[in-house]
Amino acid sequence: MGHRCCSKQKVKRGLWSPEEDEKLIRYITAHGHGSWSSVPKLAGLQRCGKSCRLRWINYLRPELKRGSFSAQEEQSIIDVHRILGNRWAQIAKHLPGRTDNEVKNFWNSCIKKKLISQGLDPKTHNLISSHQRNTSNKVVCSLPQPHQQPFPVFTVNQQMTDDASMEVNRLPPFVTLPPLPPTQPSLQQTMAIPNSEYQNPNPVWTAKDQSSQYTISFPCGSSIGSTPIISSSSSSSVNPFGFGFLDENLIWNAHVEPLEGPRLEQVQTHQYQDQHDQQKNKINIGEMGNDHEQKCGQDIDVSFDSSSFDLEFVESTLLSGAICRDLSSMDDLAWNF
DNA sequence: AAGGATGACAACCGCTGTCCT
DNA sequence: AAGGACAGCGGTTGTCATCCT
C-alpha cells in the first residue's frame, strides 16, 4: 500500500537501502530535484516524491553535518527554542548543517529530558515547582488570569541596564513584577512568563522611549484584546519574548491597539532581506543599549498582525544583535528575569 | 542467553500555505 | 474564485541497537 499522496503508484516504504540512496544522490547531483513528484520515476526509485524529498533533505544532502550535537549547538537550540518554541525549521536555520528533523529528534530524545531533570519545563523553560513536578509532569501555569492582570509588566534590574550587551540567560525567564495598581488583586512579585506569552506573542507590546520616540509594538493575544493599557513607570521593562534590551528610560507598554493598515501592509510586503536591512537600520535591539544615545530621535515603529506573525522578521529584527550574528554570543547576553 | 525496556534516529502522516491553471 | 499539485512543516510512529534484569 502506497502513500496517500501517491496511492496510484506502487511505492516502497521504510528504511532506505544504500542502493536507493545511491540512485537518489546520483540523480539529484546530475539533474537537481526539480519537481519532487517526478524524481522517483526519473531516478528509477520505487518511492514517492515526498519520501525522496525527505530523504534528500534530512539525510543525503552533502552539506549536512552528521554526528552528535556539540554542547554549543545544544545550548543554541535551547536558547532559540525558548524564543521560538517548537519551530524546528526556524531553529534549524540557526544551526548550519542540521535539519529540522534532527533538531526535533535531538530535542525530544535528549534536551527535553535534560531540562526536566534540571527542573525546567521544556515547553516554557520555566522552573517547575516540586509540586508541579510531582503531578505527573503537568505544568500548571502560575500566571494570573487575564481578568486579574492582563499583562505582566516586567522590570529589568539595574545590572541589565548597566550592561549594554544582551543575554538570553540560561536561567528560566523569571520576571519581577512591579507593585500592582490598588485595584488589582495582589500577585506574586516574581512569576514565570507563560509559554503563550513569550513564545506565541500575540499581544501587542509597545515599547516607548520617553526621551526618544522608540515605539515597538508586538501582537497580543486576542483574549485580552479589550483590556486597558497597562503601563509601568518603573525604571525599565523587558518584553515578553525574552529578548530585547531596554534602556532605563524605556517603558514597555503592554496594551492592545488595532493594527493600522499601512503599518501592517508595510510589514507584510517587505521581503526578508528588506526587513533585515530595514530593521538593521531601524532597530537593533541588541545594540539598542549602546546606540541609544545616538538613536534618539529616530522613529521605530514596528507592528505585527497577530494572524501573520512573521518569525523571520522577528528573528531578523530582534535577534540580529545576538543569535543571528553568532549563536555563541548567546552566552554574552544577560537577561535578568 | 532470552526478552523486555529504553533511547536514538529515520521515516511517515497529515495539515497548511503557495503557486498555477 | 476554485481546485489541484506541490513544498514545507510539526507531530507521531516505526525500527533498530543497546542496556538491563
mmCIF file of all heavy atoms in Angstrom, chain C residues 1-17 19-21:
data_model
loop_
_atom_site.group_PDB
_atom_site.id
_atom_site.type_symbol
_atom_site.label_atom_id
_atom_site.label_comp_id
_atom_site.label_asym_id
_atom_site.label_seq_id
_atom_site.Cartn_x
_atom_site.Cartn_y
_atom_site.Cartn_z
ATOM 1 P P DA C 1 -11.988 36.667 -5.658
ATOM 2 O OP1 DA C 1 -12.850 37.521 -4.855
ATOM 3 O OP2 DA C 1 -10.592 36.459 -5.279
ATOM 4 O "O5'" DA C 1 -12.669 35.248 -5.857
ATOM 5 C "C5'" DA C 1 -14.041 35.176 -6.186
ATOM 6 C "C4'" DA C 1 -14.358 33.751 -6.554
ATOM 7 O "O4'" DA C 1 -13.592 33.383 -7.741
ATOM 8 C "C3'" DA C 1 -13.992 32.724 -5.485
ATOM 9 O "O3'" DA C 1 -14.978 31.704 -5.472
ATOM 10 C "C2'" DA C 1 -12.636 32.206 -5.935
ATOM 11 C "C1'" DA C 1 -12.746 32.288 -7.442
ATOM 12 N N9 DA C 1 -11.474 32.551 -8.113
ATOM 13 C C8 DA C 1 -10.568 33.546 -7.852
ATOM 14 N N7 DA C 1 -9.517 33.542 -8.628
ATOM 15 C C5 DA C 1 -9.747 32.468 -9.464
ATOM 16 C C6 DA C 1 -9.007 31.920 -10.525
ATOM 17 N N6 DA C 1 -7.836 32.416 -10.934
ATOM 18 N N1 DA C 1 -9.524 30.840 -11.167
ATOM 19 C C2 DA C 1 -10.687 30.357 -10.756
ATOM 20 N N3 DA C 1 -11.482 30.787 -9.781
ATOM 21 C C4 DA C 1 -10.943 31.851 -9.169
ATOM 22 P P DA C 2 -14.838 30.551 -4.395
ATOM 23 O OP1 DA C 2 -16.226 30.216 -3.984
ATOM 24 O OP2 DA C 2 -13.834 30.925 -3.376
ATOM 25 O "O5'" DA C 2 -14.264 29.340 -5.248
ATOM 26 C "C5'" DA C 2 -14.894 29.022 -6.492
ATOM 27 C "C4'" DA C 2 -14.292 27.743 -7.049
ATOM 28 O "O4'" DA C 2 -13.074 28.063 -7.772
ATOM 29 C "C3'" DA C 2 -13.897 26.718 -5.986
ATOM 30 O "O3'" DA C 2 -14.235 25.424 -6.456
ATOM 31 C "C2'" DA C 2 -12.395 26.889 -5.849
ATOM 32 C "C1'" DA C 2 -11.988 27.338 -7.240
ATOM 33 N N9 DA C 2 -10.829 28.236 -7.291
ATOM 34 C C8 DA C 2 -10.538 29.271 -6.455
ATOM 35 N N7 DA C 2 -9.428 29.911 -6.756
ATOM 36 C C5 DA C 2 -8.960 29.241 -7.877
ATOM 37 C C6 DA C 2 -7.824 29.436 -8.679
ATOM 38 N N6 DA C 2 -6.920 30.392 -8.480
ATOM 39 N N1 DA C 2 -7.656 28.595 -9.723
ATOM 40 C C2 DA C 2 -8.552 27.634 -9.933
ATOM 41 N N3 DA C 2 -9.664 27.349 -9.243
ATOM 42 C C4 DA C 2 -9.807 28.211 -8.219
ATOM 43 P P DG C 3 -14.160 24.182 -5.492
ATOM 44 O OP1 DG C 3 -15.372 23.362 -5.701
ATOM 45 O OP2 DG C 3 -13.796 24.633 -4.134
ATOM 46 O "O5'" DG C 3 -12.922 23.384 -6.095
ATOM 47 C "C5'" DG C 3 -12.856 23.186 -7.510
ATOM 48 C "C4'" DG C 3 -11.475 22.698 -7.881
ATOM 49 O "O4'" DG C 3 -10.550 23.816 -7.912
ATOM 50 C "C3'" DG C 3 -10.878 21.674 -6.901
ATOM 51 O "O3'" DG C 3 -10.266 20.641 -7.628
ATOM 52 C "C2'" DG C 3 -9.842 22.489 -6.135
ATOM 53 C "C1'" DG C 3 -9.379 23.452 -7.218
ATOM 54 N N9 DG C 3 -8.738 24.668 -6.734
ATOM 55 C C8 DG C 3 -9.125 25.450 -5.670
ATOM 56 N N7 DG C 3 -8.353 26.492 -5.488
ATOM 57 C C5 DG C 3 -7.401 26.385 -6.491
ATOM 58 C C6 DG C 3 -6.298 27.232 -6.791
ATOM 59 O O6 DG C 3 -5.942 28.263 -6.223
ATOM 60 N N1 DG C 3 -5.580 26.759 -7.893
ATOM 61 C C2 DG C 3 -5.889 25.622 -8.607
ATOM 62 N N2 DG C 3 -5.095 25.318 -9.629
ATOM 63 N N3 DG C 3 -6.910 24.825 -8.327
ATOM 64 C C4 DG C 3 -7.621 25.270 -7.268
ATOM 65 P P DG C 4 -10.009 19.240 -6.973
ATOM 66 O OP1 DG C 4 -10.968 18.266 -7.543
ATOM 67 O OP2 DG C 4 -9.908 19.415 -5.510
ATOM 68 O "O5'" DG C 4 -8.564 18.904 -7.536
ATOM 69 C "C5'" DG C 4 -8.286 19.155 -8.915
ATOM 70 C "C4'" DG C 4 -6.802 19.397 -9.094
ATOM 71 O "O4'" DG C 4 -6.471 20.725 -8.627
ATOM 72 C "C3'" DG C 4 -5.908 18.420 -8.325
ATOM 73 O "O3'" DG C 4 -4.905 17.928 -9.188
ATOM 74 C "C2'" DG C 4 -5.319 19.263 -7.196
ATOM 75 C "C1'" DG C 4 -5.307 20.656 -7.814
ATOM 76 N N9 DG C 4 -5.373 21.746 -6.860
ATOM 77 C C8 DG C 4 -6.311 21.935 -5.876
ATOM 78 N N7 DG C 4 -6.121 23.020 -5.173
ATOM 79 C C5 DG C 4 -4.987 23.587 -5.735
ATOM 80 C C6 DG C 4 -4.289 24.781 -5.395
ATOM 81 O O6 DG C 4 -4.561 25.589 -4.500
ATOM 82 N N1 DG C 4 -3.188 24.990 -6.222
ATOM 83 C C2 DG C 4 -2.804 24.159 -7.236
ATOM 84 N N2 DG C 4 -1.719 24.513 -7.913
ATOM 85 N N3 DG C 4 -3.430 23.039 -7.566
ATOM 86 C C4 DG C 4 -4.515 22.823 -6.771
ATOM 87 P P DA C 5 -3.977 16.733 -8.736
ATOM 88 O OP1 DA C 5 -3.912 15.760 -9.844
ATOM 89 O OP2 DA C 5 -4.370 16.297 -7.370
ATOM 90 O "O5'" DA C 5 -2.573 17.475 -8.634
ATOM 91 C "C5'" DA C 5 -2.150 18.304 -9.715
ATOM 92 C "C4'" DA C 5 -0.830 18.966 -9.360
ATOM 93 O "O4'" DA C 5 -1.080 20.080 -8.472
ATOM 94 C "C3'" DA C 5 0.163 18.045 -8.635
ATOM 95 O "O3'" DA C 5 1.454 18.251 -9.179
ATOM 96 C "C2'" DA C 5 0.073 18.496 -7.176
ATOM 97 C "C1'" DA C 5 -0.289 19.970 -7.306
ATOM 98 N N9 DA C 5 -1.078 20.502 -6.210
ATOM 99 C C8 DA C 5 -2.189 19.947 -5.638
ATOM 100 N N7 DA C 5 -2.711 20.666 -4.671
ATOM 101 C C5 DA C 5 -1.881 21.775 -4.599
ATOM 102 C C6 DA C 5 -1.898 22.909 -3.775
ATOM 103 N N6 DA C 5 -2.803 23.126 -2.822
ATOM 104 N N1 DA C 5 -0.921 23.834 -3.968
ATOM 105 C C2 DA C 5 -0.022 23.617 -4.922
ATOM 106 N N3 DA C 5 0.100 22.587 -5.759
ATOM 107 C C4 DA C 5 -0.873 21.693 -5.541
ATOM 108 P P DC C 6 2.625 17.256 -8.755
ATOM 109 O OP1 DC C 6 3.517 17.086 -9.920
ATOM 110 O OP2 DC C 6 2.070 16.074 -8.065
ATOM 111 O "O5'" DC C 6 3.394 18.141 -7.676
ATOM 112 C "C5'" DC C 6 3.780 19.475 -8.024
ATOM 113 C "C4'" DC C 6 4.163 20.220 -6.780
ATOM 114 O "O4'" DC C 6 2.988 20.507 -6.004
ATOM 115 C "C3'" DC C 6 5.117 19.474 -5.845
ATOM 116 O "O3'" DC C 6 6.388 20.079 -5.929
ATOM 117 C "C2'" DC C 6 4.497 19.628 -4.452
ATOM 118 C "C1'" DC C 6 3.406 20.686 -4.670
ATOM 119 N N1 DC C 6 2.208 20.561 -3.798
ATOM 120 C C2 DC C 6 1.912 21.596 -2.906
ATOM 121 O O2 DC C 6 2.643 22.585 -2.861
ATOM 122 N N3 DC C 6 0.821 21.471 -2.113
ATOM 123 C C4 DC C 6 0.052 20.380 -2.198
ATOM 124 N N4 DC C 6 -1.012 20.303 -1.400
ATOM 125 C C5 DC C 6 0.338 19.319 -3.105
ATOM 126 C C6 DC C 6 1.425 19.445 -3.889
ATOM 127 P P DA C 7 7.616 19.449 -5.142
ATOM 128 O OP1 DA C 7 8.820 19.601 -5.984
ATOM 129 O OP2 DA C 7 7.246 18.132 -4.607
ATOM 130 O "O5'" DA C 7 7.735 20.466 -3.917
ATOM 131 C "C5'" DA C 7 7.721 21.868 -4.179
ATOM 132 C "C4'" DA C 7 7.776 22.636 -2.870
ATOM 133 O "O4'" DA C 7 6.494 22.556 -2.212
ATOM 134 C "C3'" DA C 7 8.813 22.130 -1.862
ATOM 135 O "O3'" DA C 7 9.452 23.259 -1.280
ATOM 136 C "C2'" DA C 7 7.986 21.352 -0.846
ATOM 137 C "C1'" DA C 7 6.637 22.064 -0.897
ATOM 138 N N9 DA C 7 5.473 21.225 -0.637
ATOM 139 C C8 DA C 7 5.190 20.003 -1.186
ATOM 140 N N7 DA C 7 4.055 19.485 -0.772
ATOM 141 C C5 DA C 7 3.561 20.427 0.104
ATOM 142 C C6 DA C 7 2.392 20.476 0.881
ATOM 143 N N6 DA C 7 1.475 19.511 0.894
ATOM 144 N N1 DA C 7 2.200 21.562 1.659
ATOM 145 C C2 DA C 7 3.122 22.527 1.651
ATOM 146 N N3 DA C 7 4.259 22.601 0.971
ATOM 147 C C4 DA C 7 4.422 21.507 0.208
ATOM 148 P P DG C 8 10.645 23.023 -0.284
ATOM 149 O OP1 DG C 8 11.588 24.135 -0.486
ATOM 150 O OP2 DG C 8 11.116 21.634 -0.349
ATOM 151 O "O5'" DG C 8 9.919 23.231 1.119
ATOM 152 C "C5'" DG C 8 9.165 24.416 1.322
ATOM 153 C "C4'" DG C 8 8.486 24.359 2.676
ATOM 154 O "O4'" DG C 8 7.348 23.476 2.609
ATOM 155 C "C3'" DG C 8 9.381 23.843 3.807
ATOM 156 O "O3'" DG C 8 9.378 24.799 4.846
ATOM 157 C "C2'" DG C 8 8.736 22.519 4.233
ATOM 158 C "C1'" DG C 8 7.286 22.717 3.790
ATOM 159 N N9 DG C 8 6.558 21.488 3.473
ATOM 160 C C8 DG C 8 6.955 20.495 2.616
ATOM 161 N N7 DG C 8 6.099 19.513 2.518
ATOM 162 C C5 DG C 8 5.064 19.886 3.360
ATOM 163 C C6 DG C 8 3.856 19.227 3.667
ATOM 164 O O6 DG C 8 3.445 18.141 3.243
ATOM 165 N N1 DG C 8 3.084 19.956 4.572
ATOM 166 C C2 DG C 8 3.440 21.170 5.108
ATOM 167 N N2 DG C 8 2.591 21.720 5.964
ATOM 168 N N3 DG C 8 4.581 21.801 4.826
ATOM 169 C C4 DG C 8 5.333 21.110 3.953
ATOM 170 P P DC C 9 10.375 24.619 6.072
ATOM 171 O OP1 DC C 9 10.862 25.957 6.395
ATOM 172 O OP2 DC C 9 11.323 23.519 5.804
ATOM 173 O "O5'" DC C 9 9.383 24.130 7.225
ATOM 174 C "C5'" DC C 9 8.186 24.867 7.463
ATOM 175 C "C4'" DC C 9 7.273 24.068 8.360
ATOM 176 O "O4'" DC C 9 6.699 22.986 7.603
ATOM 177 C "C3'" DC C 9 7.987 23.437 9.551
ATOM 178 O "O3'" DC C 9 7.555 24.074 10.738
ATOM 179 C "C2'" DC C 9 7.550 21.967 9.536
ATOM 180 C "C1'" DC C 9 6.448 21.911 8.489
ATOM 181 N N1 DC C 9 6.430 20.680 7.661
ATOM 182 C C2 DC C 9 5.311 19.832 7.729
ATOM 183 O O2 DC C 9 4.387 20.131 8.479
ATOM 184 N N3 DC C 9 5.312 18.709 6.984
ATOM 185 C C4 DC C 9 6.349 18.432 6.188
ATOM 186 N N4 DC C 9 6.298 17.314 5.471
ATOM 187 C C5 DC C 9 7.484 19.287 6.108
ATOM 188 C C6 DC C 9 7.480 20.396 6.858
ATOM 189 P P DG C 10 8.329 23.818 12.047
ATOM 190 O OP1 DG C 10 8.369 25.094 12.774
ATOM 191 O OP2 DG C 10 9.578 23.076 11.766
ATOM 192 O "O5'" DG C 10 7.353 22.823 12.814
ATOM 193 C "C5'" DG C 10 6.008 23.225 13.027
ATOM 194 C "C4'" DG C 10 5.221 22.058 13.585
ATOM 195 O "O4'" DG C 10 5.087 21.040 12.564
ATOM 196 C "C3'" DG C 10 5.854 21.370 14.793
ATOM 197 O "O3'" DG C 10 4.839 21.133 15.756
ATOM 198 C "C2'" DG C 10 6.434 20.074 14.234
ATOM 199 C "C1'" DG C 10 5.481 19.786 13.070
ATOM 200 N N9 DG C 10 6.080 19.034 11.973
ATOM 201 C C8 DG C 10 7.311 19.230 11.400
ATOM 202 N N7 DG C 10 7.573 18.401 10.433
ATOM 203 C C5 DG C 10 6.449 17.613 10.357
ATOM 204 C C6 DG C 10 6.149 16.525 9.493
ATOM 205 O O6 DG C 10 6.838 16.039 8.594
ATOM 206 N N1 DG C 10 4.887 15.996 9.756
ATOM 207 C C2 DG C 10 4.030 16.457 10.718
ATOM 208 N N2 DG C 10 2.870 15.822 10.817
ATOM 209 N N3 DG C 10 4.292 17.452 11.525
ATOM 210 C C4 DG C 10 5.515 17.988 11.294
ATOM 211 P P DG C 11 5.178 20.345 17.097
ATOM 212 O OP1 DG C 11 4.449 21.060 18.160
ATOM 213 O OP2 DG C 11 6.629 20.090 17.207
ATOM 214 O "O5'" DG C 11 4.447 18.936 16.868
ATOM 215 C "C5'" DG C 11 3.067 18.943 16.499
ATOM 216 C "C4'" DG C 11 2.597 17.525 16.267
ATOM 217 O "O4'" DG C 11 3.209 16.997 15.072
ATOM 218 C "C3'" DG C 11 2.918 16.553 17.395
ATOM 219 O "O3'" DG C 11 1.780 15.744 17.652
ATOM 220 C "C2'" DG C 11 4.086 15.738 16.850
ATOM 221 C "C1'" DG C 11 3.818 15.754 15.348
ATOM 222 N N9 DG C 11 5.013 15.663 14.518
ATOM 223 C C8 DG C 11 6.132 16.453 14.597
ATOM 224 N N7 DG C 11 7.058 16.149 13.725
ATOM 225 C C5 DG C 11 6.508 15.085 13.022
ATOM 226 C C6 DG C 11 7.040 14.325 11.947
ATOM 227 O O6 DG C 11 8.147 14.453 11.394
ATOM 228 N N1 DG C 11 6.162 13.336 11.529
ATOM 229 C C2 DG C 11 4.918 13.117 12.079
ATOM 230 N N2 DG C 11 4.214 12.117 11.547
ATOM 231 N N3 DG C 11 4.402 13.813 13.079
ATOM 232 C C4 DG C 11 5.249 14.781 13.506
ATOM 233 P P DT C 12 1.790 14.634 18.783
ATOM 234 O OP1 DT C 12 0.406 14.532 19.307
ATOM 235 O OP2 DT C 12 2.920 14.889 19.696
ATOM 236 O "O5'" DT C 12 2.110 13.301 17.970
ATOM 237 C "C5'" DT C 12 1.301 12.972 16.841
ATOM 238 C "C4'" DT C 12 1.834 11.739 16.177
ATOM 239 O "O4'" DT C 12 3.061 12.051 15.489
ATOM 240 C "C3'" DT C 12 2.150 10.573 17.125
ATOM 241 O "O3'" DT C 12 1.312 9.500 16.775
ATOM 242 C "C2'" DT C 12 3.632 10.283 16.900
ATOM 243 C "C1'" DT C 12 3.913 10.930 15.555
ATOM 244 N N1 DT C 12 5.297 11.433 15.356
ATOM 245 C C2 DT C 12 6.062 10.918 14.330
ATOM 246 O O2 DT C 12 5.665 10.053 13.585
ATOM 247 N N3 DT C 12 7.316 11.467 14.223
ATOM 248 C C4 DT C 12 7.870 12.456 15.005
ATOM 249 O O4 DT C 12 9.005 12.863 14.807
ATOM 250 C C5 DT C 12 7.018 12.951 16.057
ATOM 251 C C7 DT C 12 7.521 14.028 16.969
ATOM 252 C C6 DT C 12 5.790 12.428 16.185
ATOM 253 P P DT C 13 1.370 8.111 17.578
ATOM 254 O OP1 DT C 13 0.001 7.555 17.603
ATOM 255 O OP2 DT C 13 2.131 8.315 18.822
ATOM 256 O "O5'" DT C 13 2.242 7.222 16.589
ATOM 257 C "C5'" DT C 13 1.922 7.232 15.200
ATOM 258 C "C4'" DT C 13 2.941 6.404 14.438
ATOM 259 O "O4'" DT C 13 4.186 7.132 14.342
ATOM 260 C "C3'" DT C 13 3.274 5.053 15.072
ATOM 261 O "O3'" DT C 13 3.236 4.074 14.044
ATOM 262 C "C2'" DT C 13 4.681 5.254 15.636
ATOM 263 C "C1'" DT C 13 5.255 6.278 14.671
ATOM 264 N N1 DT C 13 6.353 7.137 15.182
ATOM 265 C C2 DT C 13 7.513 7.252 14.436
ATOM 266 O O2 DT C 13 7.695 6.669 13.388
ATOM 267 N N3 DT C 13 8.458 8.083 14.982
ATOM 268 C C4 DT C 13 8.357 8.786 16.158
ATOM 269 O O4 DT C 13 9.285 9.510 16.541
ATOM 270 C C5 DT C 13 7.118 8.626 16.889
ATOM 271 C C7 DT C 13 6.931 9.355 18.177
ATOM 272 C C6 DT C 13 6.190 7.816 16.368
ATOM 273 P P DG C 14 3.391 2.547 14.374
ATOM 274 O OP1 DG C 14 2.391 1.803 13.583
ATOM 275 O OP2 DG C 14 3.470 2.381 15.848
ATOM 276 O "O5'" DG C 14 4.834 2.260 13.762
ATOM 277 C "C5'" DG C 14 5.118 2.757 12.453
ATOM 278 C "C4'" DG C 14 6.522 2.349 12.040
ATOM 279 O "O4'" DG C 14 7.487 3.270 12.603
ATOM 280 C "C3'" DG C 14 6.953 0.960 12.481
ATOM 281 O "O3'" DG C 14 7.720 0.389 11.433
ATOM 282 C "C2'" DG C 14 7.803 1.229 13.735
ATOM 283 C "C1'" DG C 14 8.415 2.590 13.421
ATOM 284 N N9 DG C 14 8.670 3.454 14.567
ATOM 285 C C8 DG C 14 7.815 3.742 15.604
ATOM 286 N N7 DG C 14 8.312 4.575 16.474
ATOM 287 C C5 DG C 14 9.571 4.862 15.986
ATOM 288 C C6 DG C 14 10.582 5.711 16.499
ATOM 289 O O6 DG C 14 10.560 6.406 17.525
ATOM 290 N N1 DG C 14 11.723 5.718 15.690
ATOM 291 C C2 DG C 14 11.851 5.004 14.530
ATOM 292 N N2 DG C 14 13.006 5.129 13.890
ATOM 293 N N3 DG C 14 10.918 4.199 14.034
ATOM 294 C C4 DG C 14 9.809 4.181 14.810
ATOM 295 P P DT C 15 8.176 -1.126 11.534
ATOM 296 O OP1 DT C 15 7.991 -1.708 10.188
ATOM 297 O OP2 DT C 15 7.580 -1.763 12.727
ATOM 298 O "O5'" DT C 15 9.745 -0.949 11.788
ATOM 299 C "C5'" DT C 15 10.461 -0.021 10.978
ATOM 300 C "C4'" DT C 15 11.901 0.053 11.444
ATOM 301 O "O4'" DT C 15 11.999 0.974 12.553
ATOM 302 C "C3'" DT C 15 12.494 -1.275 11.922
ATOM 303 O "O3'" DT C 15 13.779 -1.412 11.350
ATOM 304 C "C2'" DT C 15 12.562 -1.108 13.440
ATOM 305 C "C1'" DT C 15 12.795 0.391 13.561
ATOM 306 N N1 DT C 15 12.375 1.030 14.844
ATOM 307 C C2 DT C 15 13.205 1.946 15.433
ATOM 308 O O2 DT C 15 14.278 2.267 14.960
ATOM 309 N N3 DT C 15 12.729 2.500 16.600
ATOM 310 C C4 DT C 15 11.537 2.223 17.222
ATOM 311 O O4 DT C 15 11.220 2.775 18.263
ATOM 312 C C5 DT C 15 10.702 1.247 16.553
ATOM 313 C C7 DT C 15 9.375 0.870 17.151
ATOM 314 C C6 DT C 15 11.160 0.710 15.407
ATOM 315 P P DC C 16 14.412 -2.855 11.285
ATOM 316 O OP1 DC C 16 14.756 -3.128 9.877
ATOM 317 O OP2 DC C 16 13.607 -3.815 12.077
ATOM 318 O "O5'" DC C 16 15.773 -2.595 12.086
ATOM 319 C "C5'" DC C 16 16.485 -1.391 11.835
ATOM 320 C "C4'" DC C 16 17.322 -1.042 13.050
ATOM 321 O "O4'" DC C 16 16.481 -0.458 14.069
ATOM 322 C "C3'" DC C 16 18.033 -2.240 13.702
ATOM 323 O "O3'" DC C 16 19.417 -1.980 13.738
ATOM 324 C "C2'" DC C 16 17.420 -2.328 15.089
ATOM 325 C "C1'" DC C 16 16.953 -0.891 15.319
ATOM 326 N N1 DC C 16 15.837 -0.745 16.303
ATOM 327 C C2 DC C 16 15.918 0.248 17.285
ATOM 328 O O2 DC C 16 16.918 0.974 17.322
ATOM 329 N N3 DC C 16 14.906 0.377 18.166
ATOM 330 C C4 DC C 16 13.845 -0.420 18.095
ATOM 331 N N4 DC C 16 12.868 -0.245 18.986
ATOM 332 C C5 DC C 16 13.736 -1.437 17.100
ATOM 333 C C6 DC C 16 14.747 -1.558 16.228
ATOM 334 P P DA C 17 20.429 -3.122 14.105
ATOM 335 O OP1 DA C 17 21.375 -3.231 12.979
ATOM 336 O OP2 DA C 17 19.699 -4.313 14.588
ATOM 337 O "O5'" DA C 17 21.192 -2.470 15.344
ATOM 338 C "C5'" DA C 17 21.494 -1.084 15.313
ATOM 339 C "C4'" DA C 17 21.803 -0.595 16.717
ATOM 340 O "O4'" DA C 17 20.563 -0.414 17.446
ATOM 341 C "C3'" DA C 17 22.663 -1.548 17.543
ATOM 342 O "O3'" DA C 17 23.682 -0.801 18.186
ATOM 343 C "C2'" DA C 17 21.680 -2.166 18.538
ATOM 344 C "C1'" DA C 17 20.634 -1.063 18.690
ATOM 345 N N9 DA C 17 19.289 -1.524 19.011
ATOM 346 C C8 DA C 17 18.567 -2.494 18.373
ATOM 347 N N7 DA C 17 17.371 -2.693 18.869
ATOM 348 C C5 DA C 17 17.293 -1.780 19.910
ATOM 349 C C6 DA C 17 16.280 -1.496 20.836
ATOM 350 N N6 DA C 17 15.094 -2.111 20.865
ATOM 351 N N1 DA C 17 16.532 -0.529 21.758
ATOM 352 C C2 DA C 17 17.715 0.087 21.725
ATOM 353 N N3 DA C 17 18.743 -0.095 20.904
ATOM 354 C C4 DA C 17 18.466 -1.057 20.010
ATOM 355 P P DC C 19 25.426 -0.579 25.533
ATOM 356 O OP1 DC C 19 26.434 0.444 25.894
ATOM 357 O OP2 DC C 19 25.852 -1.964 25.213
ATOM 358 O "O5'" DC C 19 24.340 -0.649 26.697
ATOM 359 C "C5'" DC C 19 23.456 0.454 26.877
ATOM 360 C "C4'" DC C 19 22.383 0.096 27.889
ATOM 361 O "O4'" DC C 19 21.394 -0.757 27.269
ATOM 362 C "C3'" DC C 19 22.897 -0.648 29.123
ATOM 363 O "O3'" DC C 19 22.363 -0.037 30.289
ATOM 364 C "C2'" DC C 19 22.384 -2.072 28.929
ATOM 365 C "C1'" DC C 19 21.107 -1.854 28.115
ATOM 366 N N1 DC C 19 20.707 -2.987 27.248
ATOM 367 C C2 DC C 19 19.398 -3.492 27.319
ATOM 368 O O2 DC C 19 18.607 -2.996 28.116
ATOM 369 N N3 DC C 19 19.053 -4.527 26.514
ATOM 370 C C4 DC C 19 19.937 -5.035 25.665
ATOM 371 N N4 DC C 19 19.544 -6.048 24.884
ATOM 372 C C5 DC C 19 21.268 -4.534 25.561
ATOM 373 C C6 DC C 19 21.608 -3.516 26.370
ATOM 374 P P DC C 20 22.908 -0.442 31.685
ATOM 375 O OP1 DC C 20 23.002 0.791 32.485
ATOM 376 O OP2 DC C 20 24.084 -1.325 31.539
ATOM 377 O "O5'" DC C 20 21.702 -1.312 32.253
ATOM 378 C "C5'" DC C 20 20.367 -0.822 32.133
ATOM 379 C "C4'" DC C 20 19.381 -1.897 32.555
ATOM 380 O "O4'" DC C 20 19.185 -2.844 31.477
ATOM 381 C "C3'" DC C 20 19.818 -2.704 33.771
ATOM 382 O "O3'" DC C 20 18.744 -2.754 34.693
ATOM 383 C "C2'" DC C 20 20.140 -4.091 33.212
ATOM 384 C "C1'" DC C 20 19.223 -4.157 31.984
ATOM 385 N N1 DC C 20 19.704 -5.040 30.891
ATOM 386 C C2 DC C 20 18.819 -5.966 30.328
ATOM 387 O O2 DC C 20 17.666 -6.042 30.757
ATOM 388 N N3 DC C 20 19.269 -6.762 29.327
ATOM 389 C C4 DC C 20 20.522 -6.650 28.885
ATOM 390 N N4 DC C 20 20.912 -7.446 27.892
ATOM 391 C C5 DC C 20 21.437 -5.708 29.440
ATOM 392 C C6 DC C 20 20.979 -4.926 30.441
ATOM 393 P P DT C 21 19.001 -3.257 36.182
ATOM 394 O OP1 DT C 21 18.400 -2.218 37.066
ATOM 395 O OP2 DT C 21 20.434 -3.616 36.322
ATOM 396 O "O5'" DT C 21 18.124 -4.571 36.277
ATOM 397 C "C5'" DT C 21 16.764 -4.547 35.822
ATOM 398 C "C4'" DT C 21 16.274 -5.947 35.594
ATOM 399 O "O4'" DT C 21 16.853 -6.489 34.384
ATOM 400 C "C3'" DT C 21 16.625 -6.928 36.728
ATOM 401 O "O3'" DT C 21 15.445 -7.613 37.128
ATOM 402 C "C2'" DT C 21 17.604 -7.899 36.086
ATOM 403 C "C1'" DT C 21 17.201 -7.839 34.622
ATOM 404 N N1 DT C 21 18.247 -8.199 33.644
ATOM 405 C C2 DT C 21 17.949 -9.099 32.639
ATOM 406 O O2 DT C 21 16.856 -9.599 32.507
ATOM 407 N N3 DT C 21 18.989 -9.377 31.791
ATOM 408 C C4 DT C 21 20.266 -8.856 31.836
ATOM 409 O O4 DT C 21 21.111 -9.184 31.015
ATOM 410 C C5 DT C 21 20.520 -7.924 32.905
ATOM 411 C C7 DT C 21 21.868 -7.312 33.056
ATOM 412 C C6 DT C 21 19.505 -7.637 33.756
#
